[in-house]
């Protein structure tokens, strides 16, 4: 394997690792809804998962930039499989009979109030099963949409305006993702009203909108560092392959 092929393989491996870990973390922590008002003084509520979804957005665009739509969908499909595996394992752990001493040493909280740790464990992680159903649907649709729009904008602009294809693809794909995941997870499988879904989804989307704009410099920095790592000629060659390889 020549040096460029090795660097190309290493780059895809690192980007895929960042993508996969953050996507999985976002799914797991997404069961918590926090107050944007209490944290930042902004109106509305957000799912905890939105805190790290911007990392997934940026990584998606970087992978698309250098490895094309095929590269994005390859890691997206693998991520879906691994998320399903992770939640399958988590679900099985909720079915394990709790040890008596574990229940006993955790039978009260810090204020001395009665507390059932096994019930809490099941409540948190089984709530995630509804989220995973919605997320898998939203994630799959969102990633395909993001990769397709990114590729179309790159072809339309002749490879110029990185910010346009990155931000444009994210804003459109996340409009779908933000509403679908909450509707399926908390309305179809949960106990939210439709108005609650709309309210939180709206706040989530505008947070992602702002994050996509604010993270544009990060995208350019990553572009600069990767170009330096691969080399100018090799980078041009890799990006040309990404543009040509748009069908999967």
């Amino acid at each position: 394997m020549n040096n460029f092929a090795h660097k190309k393989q290493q780059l895809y491996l690192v980007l895929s690792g960042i993508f996969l870990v953050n996507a999985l973390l976002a799914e797991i922590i997404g069961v918590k809804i926090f107050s944007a008002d209490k944290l930042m003084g902004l109106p509305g509520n957000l799912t905890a998962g939105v805190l790290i979804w911007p990392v997934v957005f940026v990584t998606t665009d970087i992978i698309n930039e250098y490895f094309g739509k095929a590269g994005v969908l390859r890691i997206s499909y693998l991520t879906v499989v691994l998320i399903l595996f992770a939640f399958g394992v988590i679900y099985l752990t909720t079915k394990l009979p709790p040890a008596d001493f574990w229940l006993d040493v955790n039978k009260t909280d810090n204020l001395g109030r009665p507390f059932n740790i096994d019930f809490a464990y099941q409540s948190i992680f089984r709530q995630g099963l509804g989220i995973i159903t919605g997320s898998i649907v939203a994630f799959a649709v969102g990633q395909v949409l993001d990769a397709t729009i990114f590729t179309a904008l790159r072809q339309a602009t002749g490879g110029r305006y990185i910010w346009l294809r990155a931000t444009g693809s994210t804003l459109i794909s996340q409009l779908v993702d933000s509403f679908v995941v909450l509707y399926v997870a908390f309305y179809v499988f949960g106990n939210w009203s439709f108005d609650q879904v709309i309210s939180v989804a709206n706040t989530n989307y505008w947070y992602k909108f702002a994050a996509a704009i604010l993270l544009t410099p990060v995208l350019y920095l990553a572009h600069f560092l990767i170009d330096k790592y691969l080399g100018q000629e090799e980078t041009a060659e890799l990006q040309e392959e990404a543009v040509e390889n748009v069908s999967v």
Side-chain angles (χ1 to χ4, degrees), residues 52-71:
I52 56 175
W53 268 121
V55 179
V56 180
F57 307 157
V58 172
T59 310
T60 297
D61 293 333
I62 295 172
I63 294 174
N64 206 334
E65 184 72 16
Y66 293 93
F67 299 96
K69 180 180 177 181

Side-chain angles (χ1 to χ4, degrees), residues 214-225:
L214 294 174
L215 288 175
T216 300
V218 176
L219 183 64
Y220 276 90
L221 176 61
H223 202 290
F224 169 78
L225 294 175

Side-chain angles (χ1 to χ4, degrees), residues 66-134:
Y66 293 93
F67 299 96
K69 180 180 177 181
V72 172
L73 297 185
R74 188 181 301 118
I75 185 58
S76 296
Y77 296 149
L78 176 60
T79 300
V80 168
V81 172
L82 293 178
I83 288 174
L84 287 172
F85 170 76
F87 273 86
V89 172
I90 289 172
Y91 177 75
L92 289 177
T93 67
T94 67
K95 293 293 187 178
L96 296 174
D100 291 336
F101 86 90
W102 182 62
L103 294 174
D104 185 58
V105 298
N106 294 288
K107 64 183 178 182
T108 59
D109 63 15
N110 293 335
L111 298 177
R113 295 172 298 191
F115 181 72
N116 186 327
I117 193 170
D118 189 54
F119 176 78
Y121 183 91
Q122 292 187 40
S123 296
I124 292 172
F125 285 115
R126 287 186 183 177
Q127 185 181 8
L129 296 178
I131 289 179
I132 192 58
T133 303

Side-chain angles (χ1 to χ4, degrees), residues 104-212:
D104 185 58
V105 298
N106 294 288
K107 64 183 178 182
T108 59
D109 63 15
N110 293 335
L111 298 177
R113 295 172 298 191
F115 181 72
N116 186 327
I117 193 170
D118 189 54
F119 176 78
Y121 183 91
Q122 292 187 40
S123 296
I124 292 172
F125 285 115
R126 287 186 183 177
Q127 185 181 8
L129 296 178
I131 289 179
I132 192 58
T133 303
S135 292
I136 289 299
V137 175
F139 180 77
V141 173
Q143 286 301 109
V144 171
L145 191 59
D146 188 287
T148 301
I149 295 171
F150 186 98
T151 300
L153 289 174
R154 177 164 54 187
Q155 291 177 324
T157 59
R160 297 171 295 169
Y161 312 124
I162 300 173
W163 65 269
L164 177 61
R165 56 182 177 269
T167 305
S169 60
T170 296
L171 296 185
I172 297 174
S173 64
Q174 291 312 307
L175 180 62
V176 175
D177 179 272
S178 295
F179 286 88
V180 171
V181 63
L182 293 175
Y183 177 78
V184 175
F186 295 110
Y187 184 77
V188 176
F189 289 95
N191 56 3
W192 288 19
S193 68
F194 188 72
D195 288 341
Q196 287 174 316
V197 170
I198 295 298
S199 175
V200 176
N202 182 61
T203 305
N204 279 4
Y205 176 72
W206 287 111
Y207 168 82
K208 294 174 184 178
F209 184 102

